Amino acid sequence: MARGCLQGVKFLMFAFNLLFWLGGCGILGVGIWLAATQGNFATLSPSFPSLSAANLLIVTGTFIMAIGFVGCIGAIKENKCLLLTFFVMLLLVFLLEATITILFFAYTDKIDRYAQQDLKKGLHLYGTPGNVGLTNAWSIIQTDFRCCGVSNYTDWFEVYNATRVPDSCCLEFSESCGLHAPGTWWKAPCYETVKMWLQENLLAVGIFGLCTALVQILGLTFAMTMYCQVVKADTYCA
């Protein structure tokens, strides 16, 4: 009876971790593709220059693959050490995510202020040698979100030391249009515009976060259940 339960849990544990591993492969693949094809698109933050979408996906995908691999091998071999390692790794990830989420909501105002200050520092790197990624990122955001600057278009005046903005701020793009009158530029602040866009899509973000948490809880349940079944089976055989 104990052996039959163990085989059932083993199959579920293997299937779950196989999907987990395949998901990690997919995320890693997207990250590598972004790095190869969109290598010039980097972070907007000068304080965290390596915090690009491609790098985040590569690191996340690799970590998920590693956890999934440990879980798969642990399920196939019915190895208590690997099952416990999988459980601990997944539990640490879950607790880290929960801690970050709590801290984010607890210090939202401070994070807002720091983010805006950091982004304004980044504006001074716009168009400079070695910062093509940051330049492209700002150009894409200002064009797609129809905004200009972090707080408003005057943020660019400090960068250029003149009444001018990048051409991506123009209502109608043309060469050197950033030298024209302010009436031809987008007036919306990029920080608030992107923040509003995120708030409008908060439900989708919340559903994604909830699904992620449920998957992790399911993985923890499978791992601990199988671990207990392996212990029972060993005790029964003994």
Side-chain angles (χ1 to χ4, degrees), residues 8-237:
V9 177
K10 177 180 178 179
F11 174 77
L12 290 173
M13 180 71 177
F14 175 77
F16 173 85
N17 283 285
L18 180 62
L19 291 174
F20 207 63
W21 184 82
L22 290 173
C25 289
I27 293 172
L28 177 62
V30 172
I32 293 173
W33 175 78
L34 277 176
T37 61
Q38 307 291 329
N40 287 336
F41 189 90
T43 178
L44 297 172
S45 171
S47 300
F48 305 98
S50 298
L51 198 63
S52 65
N55 288 344
L56 284 174
L57 288 174
I58 289 172
V59 172
T60 302
T62 302
F63 196 65
I64 290 175
M65 282 179 63
I67 293 177
F69 179 77
V70 171
C72 279
I73 300 301
I76 293 172
K77 298 292 186 180
E78 298 179 12
N79 187 291
K80 290 182 286 186
C81 181
L82 289 176
L83 288 171
L84 202 57
T85 300
F86 171 82
F87 179 84
V88 171
M89 289 172 69
L90 195 57
L91 180 61
L92 288 175
V93 171
F94 180 79
L95 293 175
L96 180 63
E97 291 171 348
T99 302
I100 291 173
T101 302
I102 292 169
L103 290 175
F104 176 79
F105 284 107
Y107 297 98
T108 301
D109 293 337
K110 289 184 178 179
I111 293 172
D112 269 348
R113 286 194 296 271
Y114 175 79
Q116 291 186 60
Q117 291 171 2
D118 195 47
L119 289 171
K120 287 180 180 179
K121 289 179 184 177
L123 294 182
H124 291 272
L125 300 176
Y126 184 90
T128 57
N131 289 292
V132 179
L134 183 141
T135 301
N136 289 346
W138 266 113
S139 296
I140 291 169
I141 285 177
Q142 291 185 144
T143 301
D144 290 354
F145 285 92
R146 300 182 176 185
C147 58
C148 190
V150 179
S151 300
N152 55 60
Y153 63 84
T154 59
D155 292 336
W156 290 108
F157 296 175
E158 297 179 16
V159 176
Y160 290 109
N161 290 318
T163 307
R164 106 169 251 199
V165 297
D167 294 343
S168 56
C169 279
C170 298
L171 298 172
E172 293 184 11
F173 179 83
S174 63
E175 194 68 31
S176 299
C177 62
L179 293 169
H180 298 166
T184 62
W185 307 331
W186 299 114
K187 299 297 189 297
C190 287
Y191 188 84
E192 290 300 325
T193 302
V194 173
K195 187 177 176 180
M196 285 177 62
W197 179 82
L198 288 172
Q199 289 174 345
E200 289 170 0
N201 293 275
L202 196 60
L203 179 61
V205 175
I207 291 173
F208 175 78
L210 183 61
C211 289
T212 301
L214 288 174
V215 168
Q216 291 172 342
I217 291 171
L218 195 63
L220 291 169
T221 304
F222 283 152
M224 187 50 64
T225 301
M226 185 172 181
Y227 177 82
C228 293
Q229 289 295 330
V230 170
V231 172
K232 285 183 180 178
D234 288 348
T235 304
Y236 179 78
C237 291

